[in-house]
Amino acid sequence: MNSQTKTFSIVLLLAILCSCKPSSVSEADSSSEQELFPEELTSFVAHGKNPLFTGTGGDSWDEVIRERGYILKENDGYHMWYTGYKEATNEGSMALGYATSPDGIVWTRYPGNPIFSENWVEDMMVVKHDSLYFMFAEGKGDIAHLMTSSDKVNWKDHGSLQIQAASGEPLTPGPYGTPTVFIEEGVWHLFNERNDDGIWVATSIDLKVW
């Protein structure tokens, strides 16, 4: 994924998150744009102890960290999933790791890492719905797939997302990765890249057909 697409993805996700917050300012108000993008989401200062979490740099399965990880905040702290691999074997050794933090600054790797290595998992994001965790991630060839877990550690892979064109025809061959998903009123909304050309949108009510 090129840097322009990554930047667009971040801006789009911020817009989605901010649109979920009711605004006390009318559309006609000149300050409405500032309300949609509050300072806490647009003004950042680098932490003095960066980087906070890196690959081990040693002889381990997560010697190097690849692509986008994901952090989920819950009542008991922060939960992070990430992709690691050995530099010598690169794509042949990628696996999914898990780490936790009480404050988002100090992280502890899960002692049972890697938690999933059966299939390619990278560039993931996680949504909790009811009592289940849904992970949308890139698989091999940058094809998005779905995984589920009840405990954040043990994951079941449900295979590639079946995305259709607006006509109902299957997508033409090619990558569709970097998935970002949210659920609203029973409908799942998927944003994904397509051939690094831009952001595509699809919806589903059953997580089977998009």
Side-chain angles (χ1 to χ4, degrees), residues 159-188:
S160 301
L161 301 185
Q162 302 303 309
I163 304 177
Q164 299 178 347
S167 63
E169 295 295 318
L171 290 185
T172 56
Y176 51 93
T178 318
T180 297
V181 178
F182 72 94
I183 184 170
E184 184 176 54
E185 297 181 353
V187 178
W188 294 83

Side-chain angles (χ1 to χ4, degrees), residues 125 208-209:
M125 64 89 58
K208 296 179 180 179
V209 178

Side-chain angles (χ1 to χ4, degrees), residues 19-79:
S19 66
C20 297
K21 176 184 177 182
S23 175
S24 59
V25 183
S26 68
E27 292 293 330
D29 195 307
S30 61
S31 64
S32 61
E33 186 174 347
Q34 293 179 344
E35 288 295 315
L36 286 174
F37 293 94
E39 184 176 357
E40 56 265 31
L41 288 179
T42 58
S43 180
F44 295 90
V45 177
H47 193 274
K49 295 184 179 180
N50 279 337
L52 301 177
F53 190 88
T54 67
T56 65
D59 185 20
S60 69
W61 72 273
D62 55 350
E63 175 186 0
V64 181
I65 293 178
R66 175 185 171 96
E67 288 277 355
R68 175 186 67 170
Y70 194 79
I71 298 173
L72 183 68
K73 174 67 167 63
E74 296 196 302
N75 292 334
D76 60 347
Y78 296 83
H79 302 263

